[in-house]
Amino acid sequence: LRMAGVGCSDSFGNDLTSGNLATNGDVAANPLKEMIVITNNASPASDQLTLVGAVKHVASITSVTTTQITLNTSDHNIKNNSVEAAKSYIIISPSDNNLYKTILTVGTTSPTLTPASDLEIDEANEINKALALTPPIDLDIYQVQAFTIRLVDTLVNNKSLRSLRIDDNINTSSADMDVADHIQDLQFEYGLDTTNDSQIDTWVGDTTDTAHNITQIRAIRVFILAQTGKIDKEYTDTKKYTLAGVEVGPFNDHVHRYLLENTITVRNRNF
């Protein structure tokens, strides 16, 4: 989350789009148009957050021109015959301008990539200069990926189990990862700098107002309400819990709960 949208100053739009970027293990038609996609719901309905960034190494570069990138045949992890939707964007690291590249074609007989927006001549020269150094500098290609953080309900032994899940939206068959069970609620709150003075002026749970966009987000608060998997007949939960400005409870049941809250500064400002 700290590095969401890294390198996309000229690659994606600045306006925050509300709604689902991805569902369970699937990617929408234009999967990577935004850097942070918020699905906001007030408790007890949980929030959902999709983050986009270049985090997966897929290849090393052996040579480059302004129209074609040649990959190392021994390590590349990009299909030779087509580019999946989630692999249509890559980033070269290190790169002088640090921008995402849109892949137009992948060679069928050799691991080469053709960017739709050709590399600048200076950028290609810089890459070739780095490759020619002794020892050579490792120039790598990273796949741009989208991760969705959400809560899911599954049936286990005829009982509903709610888990915190991270979807790795690479393709329709990608595996999802449950990172914690017995999570009752997940909410996000966004710290906005509305006066452009590097200070947070307000915290909001939703940023669909046209006055707010992704460039104003400076920090994100995460609220996780966890609960025990078994009841305690000797205990009654009479507490109230505040998640992203919304108060829930008391539940007056025999389940112990614990509210976790963390504020994360968005490090990446390159948008």
Side-chain angles (χ1 to χ4, degrees), residues 68-193:
Q68 193 173 71
I69 302 169
T70 302
L71 308 180
N72 188 322
T73 57
S74 63
D75 78 346
H76 79 93
N77 187 26
I78 297 179
K79 285 188 175 182
N80 283 343
N81 57 351
S82 65
V83 179
E84 297 175 13
K87 292 185 178 181
S88 61
Y89 298 101
I90 59 168
I91 192 169
I92 300 172
S93 177
S95 173
D96 185 52
N97 62 20
N98 198 36
L99 298 179
Y100 289 156
K101 309 298 179 186
T102 302
I103 300 304
L104 182 65
T105 60
V106 177
T108 56
T109 59
S110 62
T112 58
L113 307 178
T114 303
S117 299
D118 292 345
L119 301 176
E120 297 176 0
I121 294 178
D122 289 343
E123 183 178 10
N125 289 339
E126 287 296 321
I127 293 174
N128 280 318
K129 183 178 179 180
L131 289 170
L133 293 177
T134 304
I137 294 176
D138 290 331
L139 288 171
D140 299 319
I141 286 181
Y142 288 84
Q143 174 187 334
V144 178
Q145 291 179 262
F147 296 90
T148 300
I149 306 168
R150 63 194 184 100
L151 297 186
V152 295
D153 293 315
T154 55
L155 201 61
V156 179
N157 297 325
N158 294 322
K159 293 184 178 180
S160 180
L161 175 66
R162 175 164 285 190
S163 304
L164 178 66
R165 175 172 293 181
I166 299 179
D167 296 338
D168 181 3
N169 299 293
I170 299 176
N171 52 52
T172 55
S173 61
S174 64
D176 304 317
M177 179 173 62
D178 291 339
V179 296
D181 294 331
H182 305 294
I183 305 300
Q184 179 174 329
D185 200 358
L186 170 69
Q187 299 291 328
F188 297 97
E189 196 172 38
Y190 305 90
L192 304 180
D193 173 17

Side-chain angles (χ1 to χ4, degrees), residues 247-268:
E247 191 175 83
V248 296
F251 296 97
N252 295 315
D253 57 13
H254 302 291
V255 176
H256 290 267
R257 290 175 177 82
Y258 186 76
L259 179 61
L260 299 93
E261 177 184 340
N262 191 18
T263 301
I264 300 171
T265 301
V266 180
R267 290 179 180 174
N268 175 47

